[in-house]
Amino acid sequence: MGLETKTKNYVVGEDRSWATIKYTGVYDIQQLLSAITNWFCQRNYLRMDEEHTEKVGASGNELKVIMAAVRKVSWYVQFMITIDIEVMRNIDVLVAKNEDKEKQQHGEIDVRIKALINKNYKNTFKDKSTSKFQEFLRRIYERFIIPGTLKKYRRKLAGETESLIDEVKRTLGVKNEERTMQEPE
């Protein structure tokens, strides 16, 4: 039994784990959100905001933004990337730039990213609760007919996600951080 047993295969992160970027310092949250949105647009992802909440606290504001993006790759496969941004102790600060003062934020920010390949997303092969024979055909299709293609898609999504992580790091000005990344097969 391999990756064909599930229709969702994680390439970066897993069901309960994420690739994580942690940063403490000065940043521009609008610039970060704009950079992520532009990255998705340039690669033809459809981005959806799942959550955007803000809380005012004594030590600063807390912000949580969850974005999901999908892109159709083929009639059978789509890429899905989820980004969870949490900001703690967020306060506005003025930063001197080119003889002007610019409003930015200071606080702790955690950016968590996971990416997965969603196979059979149009339900071409009915799921096993509907038809065990269709599920058998789906597994045969993935195991013997398109395994090389799926492997290529996993590498492609891993590369794209690494590019997104690099964009987030560049925008935040992060040099080194602790982050885990599951390698594609």
Side-chain angles (χ1 to χ4, degrees):
M1 296 285 196
L3 294 173
E4 73 276 356
T5 59
K6 296 181 180 176
T7 57
K8 293 186 179 187
N9 299 140
Y10 287 92
V11 175
V12 176
E14 291 180 18
D15 192 27
R16 296 183 185 200
S17 69
W18 303 72
T20 304
I21 302 165
K22 294 180 181 277
Y23 176 74
T24 301
V26 177
Y27 53 87
D28 186 343
I29 193 68
Q30 293 303 323
Q31 183 181 7
L32 175 64
L33 296 174
S34 177
I36 292 169
T37 300
N38 289 339
W39 188 92
F40 284 134
C41 287
Q42 289 171 356
R43 285 157 186 84
N44 298 320
Y45 279 86
L46 175 62
R47 185 185 67 91
M48 300 159 282
D49 287 338
E50 292 186 354
E51 181 179 340
H52 185 115
T53 58
E54 292 186 49
K55 293 181 192 174
V56 177
S59 61
N61 298 338
E62 292 180 14
L63 173 70
K64 182 170 180 92
V65 177
I66 300 176
M67 293 182 214
V70 296
R71 183 177 90 204
K72 177 184 170 186
V73 181
S74 72
W75 67 271
Y76 189 71
V77 173
Q78 73 179 7
F79 290 167
M80 298 177 71
I81 299 176
T82 304
I83 299 179
D84 183 348
I85 302 170
E86 281 192 48
V87 181
M88 286 84 51
R89 292 180 267 296
N90 183 41
I91 57 170
D92 289 336
V93 293
L94 290 176
V95 177
K97 284 203 175 186
N98 300 332
E99 300 178 17
D100 290 333
K101 293 195 177 201
E102 187 176 289
K103 182 176 132 182
Q104 291 187 343
Q105 292 76 37
H106 183 278
E108 300 171 19
I109 187 166
D110 289 349
V111 180
R112 293 186 296 272
I113 300 172
K114 74 168 91 173
L116 64 90
I117 290 178
N118 187 16
K119 303 177 296 186
N120 195 28
Y121 70 98
K122 291 183 179 179
N123 208 19
T124 305
F125 296 101
K126 306 295 182 218
D127 63 4
K128 62 184 170 187
S129 64
T130 308
S131 171
K132 291 187 189 280
F133 182 68
Q134 288 278 320
E135 177 68 12
F136 171 75
L137 290 177
R138 183 187 69 78
R139 289 183 182 194
I140 295 294
Y141 178 69
E142 288 183 21
R143 180 174 266 183
F144 298 109
I145 298 173
I146 63 162
T149 303
L150 292 176
K151 188 174 185 178
K152 181 181 81 171
Y153 287 155
R154 282 191 289 277
R155 280 194 306 266
K156 182 175 176 64
L157 181 57
E160 285 186 4
T161 307
E162 189 66 36
S163 168
L164 175 59
I165 290 169
D166 289 343
E167 180 68 17
V168 169
K169 287 169 42 180
R170 185 195 61 73
T171 304
L172 289 174
V174 174
K175 305 263 187 280
N176 284 322
E177 82 299 328
E178 292 181 25
R179 119 179 127 69
T180 58
M181 177 118 168
Q182 176 184 344
E183 292 296 323
E185 294 184 358

